[in-house]
Amino acid sequence: MEQIGILEGREKQIFEKKDGGQAFDISCETTSLSGSVSQRACVFCGSRVVLYPVADALHLVHGPIGCAAYTWDIRGAVSSGPELHRLSFSTDLREMDVIYGGEKKLYASLIELIEKFSPKAAFIYSTCIIGLIGDDIDAVCRKVAKETGIPVLPVHSEGFKGTKKDGYKAACTALMKLVGTGPIEDISPYSINILGEFNLAGEAWIIRKYYEEMGIEVVSTMTGDGRVGAVRRAHGATLNVVQCSGSMTSLAKDMEAKYGIPYIRVSYFGIEDMSAALYDVAKHFPDRPEIMEKAKEIVSREVRNLYPKLQKFKAALSGKKAAIYVGGAFKTFSLIKALRSVGMSVVLAGSQTGNKEDYLALKEMCDEGTVIVDDSNPVELSKFILEKEADLLIGGVKERPIAFKLGVGFCDHNHERKIPLAGFEGMYNFILEVYQSVMSPVWQFAPRKGGSL
Amino acid sequence: MLLRHTTSEVKEREGLTINPAKTCQPIGAMYAALGIHGCLPHSHGSQGCCAYHRSTLTRHYKEPVMAATSSFTEGASVFGGQANLLAAIDTIFSVYDPDIIAVHSTCLSETIGDDLQQITRKALDDGKIPEGKYVIYASTPSFIGSHVTGYANMVAGMASQFAVSTGEKKDQVNLVAGWMEPSDMRELKRISKEMGAKIVLFPDTSDVLDAPQTGKHVFYPKGGVTVPELKSTGDSKFTLALGCISAEPAAIALDKKCSVPFETVDMPIGLSATDRFIMALSKAAGVKVPDSITAERGRLVDVMTDMEQYFHGKKVALFGDPDQLIPLTEFLLDLGMKPRHIVSGTPGGRFDKRMKEILERAPGANFKNGLNADMFLLHQWIKNEPVDLLIGNTYGKYIARDEDIPFVRFGFPILDRIGHSYFPSVGYSGGLRIVEKILGVLMDRQDMTANEEKFELVM
Ligand code: SF4
Ligand code: SF4
C-alpha cells in the first residue's frame, strides 16, 4: 500500500495511543491551516444548526443568498406542529446593498415576513459580509421588535469570527434573551429542560417520553421540536439536562448564573449512557424516590427487551473495527461504549470541535493503537482507515462517499440521520444500521476486499 | 403540510427571497474546476462557505468532493487575505500536490477587495508555484448573479488563462460545456466521436464526479480536461459554446485572446436544440452527420409520435438554470405540452429575451428570473393555476407533495435520487430519457387514480 503522508503543521493534532506513558499534548481549538481540505464549517453554521429546530420562529438569514440556500432544510429536525423553520428566508444581498448597506432591506423583509407568517419570534442571522459592511442589525431588530411586539433576536454569526463552536455560543446568547420572559407559576418542582437535543428523526420525542414516564415535567426541549413559548418559560425548570454535544453548555451556564438552575451533562447514545442519563436526572430529585424507582423500571424493561436483540448482531460484529469522525468529542465517548457492547473496537477517534479535556478523556478510554485526531481531513481519514483496516466509518455527509470509495461500511451519526439513534430504541437502530452496513454483501465486490477483476 | 404557509395572493416583495431557486457563485466555480484533471478547487474566504459548497456537491454526486479553503479569520478580514492565500498555495502544493489550483473568491474576500489576479501573480513572482504547475482564478462574488455565473466565470478563466495560440491551427473544435452533468459531458464526447469530429471539451467532470469504486480514495480521479488540451484550445479552428449564460463567456475569452471564432448554441436538450447542436458541430468540424446519429434522432421522434397523446395539452411548471430551461421549455412545447409557470433565480437579459421568444408559443405563461424569482413565487402561481407536472431540482418535492403534482427531478441540486450523473439528458438519447421520465410519472399517476372501468392494461 502506498504511504499517505500527514499534512505538515498537523502533527500536533494527531495522536496515536502507544505503550508507555508518553506526554499527551494534542493541539485543538485552533483554526484550520490555510490551504487545508478541512471538514469544518463556520460560526453561522453552528448557530443555524442550534436554532434551526425552533419551529414556530422565523429564521431570516441576512446576507447573500448562498448561506441561506445551503441551510435550507438540510437537517432532519422534525416538528410536531408548525414548520416555519423548514422554509428558507434570505435578504439576498446584491451588489448595491453591499455598497450602501443592507439595513433597509433587512427592515423591509422583516416587516413583510412577520406580517405574512405571524411567527412567535424571529432570529436574524448575520453572516460574514454583514460583519464587514457593518450593518447595525441590533438596531433594526430593536426597532422591528417594538413595532411588531414579538421578540426579534440578532444572532451574531459572522462566519470568519471563529469556529462552529462560537456559533453555538451566539445561538445560546440569542436563546438566553428569550428565557425568562414567559409565565412559570404552574411549573412543577420536578421539572427539567432538555438542552442540546435537536429532534433529529424524532429523537427528542423518545427522550421526552422516558422523562415524562418518570414523572418529570419537561418544560422545554432546546431546541428540538422547539417552541418559542416553551423557551420563554425555561427558567421555571428545576434542572437543565445538557446533551453531549456541548452546543448548549454555555446556555446552561448562563441559566445557572442568572436563575440558579443547576445543570448536568448526559448522553443519550448507547445503553450505558442512556441509562446513566435517566439515573442522573432521578438523583437530582432525592425527595421523590418514585422517580428513581421508575427510572430503574424503564432501564430494566428496555434492556431486557434490547439485550437479546443485540446478541444476534454481536455474533457477527465481534472483532470488527470502527473509525469515528464526528462533530463533538463527547458523542465519541458514547459511540465507543456502544460499539464495545457489540464487540467492536475503535481504531480511530476524532472530532471537529473537541477541547483538551475531551481528548484527554478520549485517550483514557481508547485501546492501544487508537489514533486520536482533531479537525481531520480526507487524506488522513483514508490513511488511517486503510492502515488500521477499519470496517466502518461513522461520520457525516462529506465522509460517507470516502468510506464507500474505500470499500468500508458507513453510518451517519451527524445531522443526516434518517432514523433515531438516541435512546434504547435508538441503540437498536444504530447497531442495526452498523450491522447492515458492515455486513452488506456489496463489500465483497470492492477491490480492497478481494473483489477486483 | 409543509408549505401550508404559502398564500395564493401574489404581492411584490421588497428584496426578500423565500425558498431560493438559485445559490451562490463559488459552488459553480468549484464544480467547473473539478472538470480539469488534477485540479484542486480553492475557496478564498472563510471555512463555512467551502464546507457548504463541498457538502452540497457531495450530496448531489455522492462522491468525495475535494476543495481547500483559505480559512479566513478576523485578522484576514481586516488586513486582507493575501497572506492567507499565499500560505494556502504553499500548503496545497506541498501536501496535496495538484497540477492546478483553481482559486475562486467568496463574498468575503470580494468585499474586502482581495485582487486574485495580483495575488496569484505575486505567488508566481515569489516562486511559490512549482515548475509545470498552475494557479488559475475566477472572481465569484455571490451578491451578483448565481451559481451559474460562478460556473461561467471559472470556465472563462480556464480559457483565458490557459489557452495559447502557437500560430499553427489545429483541426479541432472547442466544445465549451454549459452547466451539465458528468453523464452529459460523456455523451457529448460520444456523439462527437460518432460524428468523427475532433473536439476538446471543457470543463469535463466525467470520470471525476462519477468515478468508479476502486477501494482507494484518490484526490484526483482520472477524468477532467488536461492542461495540454486546455492550452491547445487557442489553436482550435472554432469554438462552440453550449449555453449563452454558462458557456459563452469562455468562448468570448478565447476569441479575444487567441482569435478563435465561435458560435453559441443552446445546450442540446430535447429535439430541436440537439438538431441545432448537431448541425453546428457538423459545420464547425467539417464532418457529415452519420447515419447512426440520424437513427438516434429517428428513435426519439418515433417515441415522441408514439406517445403524443399523453403529452398533449398537459400543463407544466418548471424551474432551474437558464441554459437548461431554454431548451427544456422548447422541448416541452415540441412535445405538445404547455409550460405555464417558470422561475429561475439566475438573472440575465439574454436569458430573459430567449425565454420570451420561446414562450410566444405559450401565450399567458408566467416567467420570471433574477430577483424574487423564487420557489415561493412559483408555488403561489401554481396555487392560482394548477399544473399537471412539475420539473425542477430536489427542492420541488415540497411543492409537488403539497399540491399533489407528478414531479420530475431535473437540474441542480438533486439530493434525493440518483441517475442524473449517470444517464445523460443531452443529445437524442438524453431526450429519450426525459421523455421516459415524464411519461413515467404521468402514467403512474393515471394508473393510480383512474376509475376501475378506465384502468387500462395497454397504453
Ligand atoms: S453567499 Fe457568499 S458567504 Fe454565503 S456561502 Fe456563498 S460565498 Fe459564502
Ligand atoms: S459566508 Fe460566512 S457565514 Fe456564510 S457560510 Fe460562508 S463562512 Fe459561513
Side-chain angles (χ1 to χ4, degrees):
Chain A
M1 188 185 58
E2 61 194 286
Q3 269 309 111
I4 307 171
I6 291 173
L7 223 121
E8 220 174 294
R10 288 238 347 120
E11 298 88 348
K12 298 202 77 168
Q13 281 166 273
I14 301 166
F15 177 87
E16 186 164 351
K17 185 167 169 178
K18 289 209 189 84
D19 266 340
Q22 85 267 41
F24 178 79
D25 184 27
I26 195 164
S27 120
C28 51
E29 297 186 274
T30 57
T31 48
S32 306
L33 213 59
S34 272
S36 60
V37 180
S38 163
Q39 309 291 78
R40 271 182 179 173
C42 67
V43 183
F44 165 67
C45 177
S47 51
R48 189 76 175 95
V49 156
V50 168
L51 295 174
Y52 172 79
V54 181
D56 56 354
L58 178 80
H59 300 268
L60 173 62
V61 183
H62 186 33
I65 198 69
C67 315
Y70 301 119
T71 49
W72 179 8
D73 208 28
I74 53 168
R75 290 171 69 90
V78 282
S79 162
S80 54
E83 309 228 39
L84 198 53
H85 66 306
R86 300 183 70 178
L87 274 67
S88 172
F89 302 111
S90 166
T91 48
D92 192 0
L93 288 195
R94 315 310 300 165
E95 204 167 12
M96 286 300 136
D97 306 319
V98 173
I99 298 166
Y100 296 109
E103 286 173 27
K104 274 209 191 98
K105 201 166 182 183
L106 174 61
Y107 173 80
S109 301
L110 269 172
I111 296 290
E112 249 176 81
L113 283 170
I114 292 170
E115 191 183 311
K116 199 183 298 249
F117 297 106
S118 317
K120 293 285 188 302
F123 293 104
I124 316 308
Y125 304 80
S126 70
T127 60
C128 279
I129 220 170
I130 303 305
L132 275 184
I133 63 176
D135 276 4
D136 187 352
I137 71 163
D138 290 13
V140 176
C141 289
R142 268 197 307 274
K143 185 168 174 210
V144 176
K146 213 163 151 204
E147 289 175 17
T148 60
I150 66 160
V152 182
L153 307 158
V155 186
H156 290 282
S157 51
E158 293 83 357
F160 60 85
K161 287 196 172 155
T163 65
K164 201 167 169 182
K165 254 188 175 171
D166 302 289
Y168 298 156
K169 184 111 197 355
C172 290
T173 306
L175 285 171
M176 194 59 193
K177 289 189 189 142
L178 277 180
V179 173
T181 59
I184 56 169
E185 295 72 34
D186 55 345
I187 293 174
S188 147
Y190 306 96
S191 58
I192 58 170
N193 295 309
I194 299 176
L195 266 59
E197 168 47 62
F198 302 115
N199 204 32
L200 299 174
E203 289 178 340
W205 298 333
I206 295 177
I207 307 304
R208 192 182 182 118
K209 196 183 69 201
Y210 297 146
Y211 288 131
E212 285 175 351
E213 207 183 327
M214 284 159 62
I216 289 169
E217 178 179 346
V218 178
V219 181
S220 71
T221 43
M222 282 197 264
T223 50
D225 197 11
R227 296 293 181 276
V228 172
V231 177
R232 300 180 89 149
R233 301 169 71 232
H235 60 301
T238 316
L239 175 71
N240 277 332
V241 184
V242 186
Q243 141 105 321
C244 55
S245 72
S247 55
M248 285 274 176
T249 312
S250 79
L251 181 68
K253 282 185 180 155
D254 288 352
M255 284 178 74
E256 183 167 42
K258 188 156 175 195
Y259 301 105
I261 305 172
Y263 73 91
I264 54 171
R265 279 177 90 182
V266 299
S267 161
Y268 301 123
F269 298 111
I271 298 175
E272 249 181 284
D273 286 354
M274 182 65 238
S275 310
L278 300 186
Y279 293 147
D280 287 352
V281 169
K283 268 188 223 149
H284 203 78
F285 304 104
D287 60 322
R288 229 191 223 194
E290 318 81 283
I291 293 182
M292 181 58 92
E293 282 312 305
K294 198 72 200 172
K296 285 182 180 160
E297 210 180 296
I298 295 171
V299 170
S300 70
R301 177 190 76 207
E302 296 291 329
V303 173
R304 214 180 315 124
N305 174 22
L306 190 57
Y307 191 76
K309 292 194 209 159
L310 291 182
Q311 296 318 301
K312 193 176 85 200
F313 300 127
K314 192 171 178 175
L317 292 174
S318 263
K320 301 277 184 205
K321 298 176 213 158
I324 303 173
Y325 185 68
V326 289
F330 211 91
K331 188 156 76 185
T332 315
F333 305 151
S334 294
L335 290 175
I336 293 174
K337 288 186 235 168
L339 291 167
R340 275 186 188 156
S341 70
V342 289
M344 289 180 72
S345 61
V346 171
V347 292
L348 169 89
S351 103
Q352 291 173 32
T353 54
N355 61 32
K356 268 227 160 77
E357 288 159 43
D358 295 334
Y359 287 118
L360 266 173
L362 250 186
K363 184 204 160 201
E364 286 307 306
M365 270 191 88
C366 288
D367 299 327
E368 290 292 319
T370 303
V371 176
I372 298 170
V373 291
D374 175 59
D375 181 26
S376 198
N377 58 60
V379 182
E380 279 167 24
L381 288 178
S382 43
K383 169 187 165 76
F384 293 124
I385 287 170
L386 289 178
E387 283 179 9
K388 299 281 172 187
E389 299 182 330
D391 301 286
L392 172 79
L393 174 64
I394 298 180
V397 54
K398 294 195 287 292
E399 285 79 53
R400 180 193 296 268
I402 294 176
F404 289 165
K405 275 281 181 290
L406 296 171
V408 310
F410 181 81
C411 170
D412 193 310
H413 215 293
N414 218 331
H415 49 225
E416 268 185 32
R417 46 190 191 259
K418 306 284 184 259
I419 45 167
L421 303 181
F424 297 102
E425 48 259 69
M427 173 66 180
Y428 176 78
N429 294 339
F430 172 60
I431 297 300
L432 175 68
E433 189 169 332
V434 167
Y435 171 84
Q436 287 174 339
S437 194
V438 169
M439 304 307 289
S440 168
V442 302
W443 306 127
Q444 65 185 307
F445 306 112
R448 223 187 111 217
K449 304 278 168 70
S452 76
L453 267 179
Chain B
M1 284 283 186
L2 184 59
L3 298 184
R4 82 191 78 150
H5 309 285
T6 309
T7 47
S8 56
E9 186 202 355
V10 182
K11 248 170 62 183
E12 272 301 313
R13 272 177 269 142
E14 269 188 63
L16 170 71
T17 294
I18 308 178
N19 300 344
K22 65 171 171 184
T23 182
C24 65
Q25 285 212 42
I27 196 170
M30 189 182 281
Y31 176 56
L34 290 165
I36 311 177
H37 180 72
C39 178
L40 187 67
H42 180 83
S43 164
H44 186 48
S46 26
Q47 289 181 20
C49 311
C50 186
Y52 281 134
H53 304 151
R54 285 178 59 210
S55 294
T56 305
L57 289 173
T58 302
R59 290 185 174 107
H60 180 84
Y61 289 107
K62 319 264 180 255
E63 289 290 313
V65 172
M66 295 303 132
T69 160
S70 289
S71 300
F72 271 32
T73 53
E74 215 143 356
S77 313
V78 177
F79 303 116
Q82 171 163 318
N84 287 55
L85 185 50
L86 292 175
I89 290 174
D90 256 350
T91 307
I92 293 171
F93 278 127
S94 64
V95 181
Y96 301 108
D97 194 32
D99 296 335
I100 303 151
I101 303 173
V103 185
H104 57 260
S105 52
T106 60
C107 298
L108 188 55
S109 53
E110 282 290 331
T111 311
I112 58 179
D114 279 353
D115 180 347
L116 294 184
Q117 182 175 7
Q118 174 260 318
I119 302 175
T120 40
R121 156 114 327 136
K122 180 156 172 44
L124 194 65
D125 293 345
D126 293 357
K128 285 182 184 298
I129 305 177
E131 193 58 35
K133 308 253 168 177
Y134 304 87
V135 177
I136 63 167
Y137 57 86
S139 161
T140 52
S142 289
F143 35 84
I144 304 167
S146 76
H147 56 291
V148 182
T149 326
Y151 179 93
N153 287 344
M154 182 51 87
V155 181
M158 285 174 204
S160 61
Q161 293 163 71
F162 276 119
V164 280
S165 53
T166 60
E168 240 175 87
K169 279 282 168 206
K170 281 195 156 76
D171 184 27
Q172 65 181 24
V173 173
N174 302 323
L175 276 193
V176 186
W179 186 316
M180 53 177 77
E181 294 288 320
S183 46
D184 296 325
M185 297 179 183
R186 191 186 297 286
E187 177 68 1
L188 288 177
K189 289 190 289 189
R190 185 193 68 84
I191 292 174
S192 306
K193 199 168 167 203
E194 193 74 31
M195 290 180 58
K198 205 169 166 312
I199 58 149
V200 177
L201 175 77
F202 73 95
D204 177 8
T205 54
S206 62
D207 287 321
V208 178
L209 287 166
D210 57 356
Q213 213 273 351
T214 55
K216 269 196 229 161
H217 165 238
V218 286
F219 245 63
Y220 311 108
K222 86 179 189 18
V225 63
T226 64
V227 172
E229 284 170 332
L230 277 173
K231 285 187 172 173
S232 80
T233 56
D235 287 334
S236 297
K237 58 180 179 181
F238 200 79
T239 302
L240 265 188
L242 307 182
C244 62
I245 306 288
S246 55
E248 192 180 85
I252 293 174
L254 267 172
D255 189 17
K256 249 202 206 140
K257 187 174 180 194
C258 303
S259 306
V260 185
F262 73 93
E263 184 190 345
T264 303
V265 292
D266 290 324
M267 233 152 84
I269 293 172
L271 184 67
S272 306
T274 303
D275 282 350
R276 291 193 296 270
F277 163 70
I278 296 288
M279 292 325 290
L281 181 60
S282 122
K283 191 167 146 230
V287 293
K288 281 220 184 69
V289 181
D291 292 347
S292 58
I293 294 283
T294 309
E296 280 180 31
R297 178 181 194 274
R299 282 192 286 273
L300 173 59
V301 177
D302 191 56
V303 172
M304 285 168 69
T305 49
D306 286 348
M307 306 311 274
E308 165 275 330
Q309 55 172 318
Y310 296 102
F311 293 111
H312 188 80
K314 291 281 189 310
K315 291 183 178 179
V316 192
L318 59 163
F319 62 97
D321 298 337
D323 292 332
Q324 300 176 350
L325 280 180
I326 291 169
L328 185 61
T329 306
E330 189 186 23
F331 190 38
L332 296 177
L333 286 161
D334 290 345
L335 286 166
M337 303 183 88
K338 285 197 159 132
R340 298 308 300 159
H341 318 299
I342 308 170
V343 300
S344 172
T346 299
R350 281 275 290 291
F351 170 38
D352 212 41
K353 193 164 154 269
R354 278 304 308 282
M355 283 304 285
K356 287 196 171 127
E357 278 163 20
I358 291 171
L359 287 173
E360 274 172 21
R361 288 163 68 192
N366 291 309
F367 169 67
K368 187 171 167 119
N369 70 333
L371 219 57
N372 304 145
D374 51 29
M375 305 282 291
F376 189 76
L377 177 69
L378 184 71
H379 195 186
Q380 289 183 314
W381 280 344
I382 293 174
K383 279 190 179 296
N384 285 301
E385 185 191 341
V387 292
D388 305 297
L389 176 70
L390 176 67
I391 304 180
N393 68 35
T394 286
Y395 286 106
K397 75 194 266 182
Y398 297 116
I399 297 178
R401 183 177 156 101
D402 276 5
E403 303 297 330
D404 192 22
I405 311 170
F407 176 41
V408 168
R409 284 165 181 77
F410 193 94
F412 176 86
I414 295 174
L415 310 172
D416 60 343
R417 293 292 189 277
I418 53 140
H420 47 278
S421 44
Y422 300 102
F423 306 107
S425 306
V426 301
Y428 299 119
S429 54
L432 260 180
R433 176 169 182 254
I434 295 170
V435 162
E436 188 221 353
K437 292 200 101 179
I438 293 177
L439 279 173
V441 296
L442 291 181
M443 291 181 157
D444 281 348
R445 166 60 51 103
Q446 190 170 329
D447 282 345
M448 293 307 282
T449 56
N451 293 333
E452 192 78 0
E453 68 277 14
K454 291 246 176 146
F455 186 69
E456 302 272 1
L457 178 72
V458 180
M459 293 215 257

